[in-house]
Amino acid sequence: MKVFCVYLSDYNDRNDYYMSLMPYGITSIAAFLEQKGHEVTLANLSSYGYLKGASLTLKYRPDAVAISIFSFNRTESFKYINELKKRNNDLTIIAGGQHPTFLSEQIKTLYPGIDFIIRGEGEFTIKELIDKSFQSDETIITSERIADIDSIPYASLFSGKTIGVNPNEQYKFIITSRGCPSSCTYCSSPNFWRQKVTYRSPENIIEELKFIRKKFGIIYFSIRDDNFTLNKKRVMEFCRLLENSRLYMMWNCQARVDTIDEEMLIAMKKCGLEHIQFGVESGSEKILKLYDKHINVEKIKSAAAITRKVGLYLSYYLMAGMTGETPADIEETMKLISDTMPHDVIISPVAYYPGTEIYSDSVKKGKINDSIWFDTEKNAL
C-alpha cells in the first residue's frame, strides 16, 4: 500500500530550525511500514504550506496519509487535512501525536475528514489498520505500549522516497528510550507514555550510530530522550561500547540533575559527550514544588559542580511565568545562574498544553476549556 508519512510545521515556523524538523515518531513509523513491505514516502512539508503540500501529496496518489500533529502545528495540519479531503474524499487520513492523543474526541467531531486517530505509539496500530485495509469498528484507537523497541527499525534505516528531508540534519537526532517516570506538571510525557519507560539496547544504539556515520557522514549526534541518564547501568554499557567502537563521534543529551554522578559523566565524556542539558526550570524551591520536579536547589548545584569538574558544556532549560511565581522567585533563579555558572540557558514561558497537569487543573477550575484550541490559532496557551 502507498503511504505518505507527513509533518508540516506552522507556516510561520517554516524557517525555524527545530520547529521545521520532522518529529522522531513519524520517521520511525515510515521506517517500520517500509520494513513491512509498504511503499512509503516520508514528507516534510514545512516549507510548502498546506496548499502546496496537499497538491504535492495528491500528485503521488497515496492510499493513506499518516500525519503527526502537535499543539504548535495543529492549525496548518488541519488545513492540510481539509484540503486533501476536499480534493480526494477517498483518501484515508490517520492522525497521531501529542495533540490528537489528548483531544481525540473533539478533533474527530470537528474534523470528520480524519478517518482514524491513534492515541500513543503509532507503529503497530497503523500497520494493523493497513493490514485490515482500514476496516475497523474504531475510529479512535488507543495503542498499547510497545515493549521491545529494538524490534522497530531506527528511523535512519528508511530508504524510500523523501520530500523536504535533509538526512544529515534529520538523522543526527536520535531517540534511545521512550517515556519518563517523572510527573512534572508542565509536561505531557507522563500521560502520553503512562510513566512507563522502554529502552533500546546499547548494542542497538551503536548499530544506528555506525549506520548514520557511514551512510550520511554524521559525526555529531544528539540524544533527545526525556532523560537519557535514567538507567546508569545502560548508560555505562553504552559508553563502553561507543568508546570501543572507535567511531569518534561527539554528542549531547538531556538529563535530570538527580540521575547523574561523576563516574557516569566521566564515562560519557570519554566516549565523546561534550554538552549536557539539564531540565532545571527554576531556582526557587517553591516553584520546583509547583512543577513537581522532586529536586531541590542543592541537587542542581551539585550536578552543575560535577558537570563543570568533568569538563562538560553545561546547559539549563528554565521556565518563567508559572502561576504563583513572583519577582522574588525570579531573583532566586537568577542567583542560581550566578552561583552555578552554566555555559548557556534556554528560557521558555510556561505553556499549558493538553495532557499536562497544569492544563487539566485549569480546565477543572473553569479557567480555560478545550475549545480554545479550535477557536484560535495560538500555538500555545
Side-chain angles (χ1 to χ4, degrees), residues 29-67:
I29 287 169
F32 182 72
L33 293 179
E34 182 185 48
Q35 183 193 70
K36 298 304 178 182
H38 298 287
E39 184 181 339
V40 183
T41 298
L42 182 61
N44 184 348
L45 303 178
S46 296
S47 64
Y48 292 85
Y50 78 94
L51 279 173
K52 290 182 179 178
S55 296
L56 183 60
T57 301
L58 294 173
K59 175 184 174 182
Y60 288 89
R61 299 185 178 180
D63 300 299
V65 170
I67 181 168

Side-chain angles (χ1 to χ4, degrees), residues 78 95 97-119 137-142 354 370-371 373-374:
F78 291 145
Q98 168 261 341
H99 202 71
T101 291
F102 299 114
L103 295 176
S104 53
E105 298 288 348
Q106 300 92 322
I107 290 172
K108 192 68 183 74
T109 298
L110 291 170
Y111 297 95
I114 299 175
D115 297 282
F116 300 100
I117 292 176
I118 296 175
R119 304 175 68 203
D137 295 331
E138 299 178 87
T139 57
I140 298 174
I141 305 166
T142 301
D370 293 336
S371 66
W373 296 107
F374 307 99

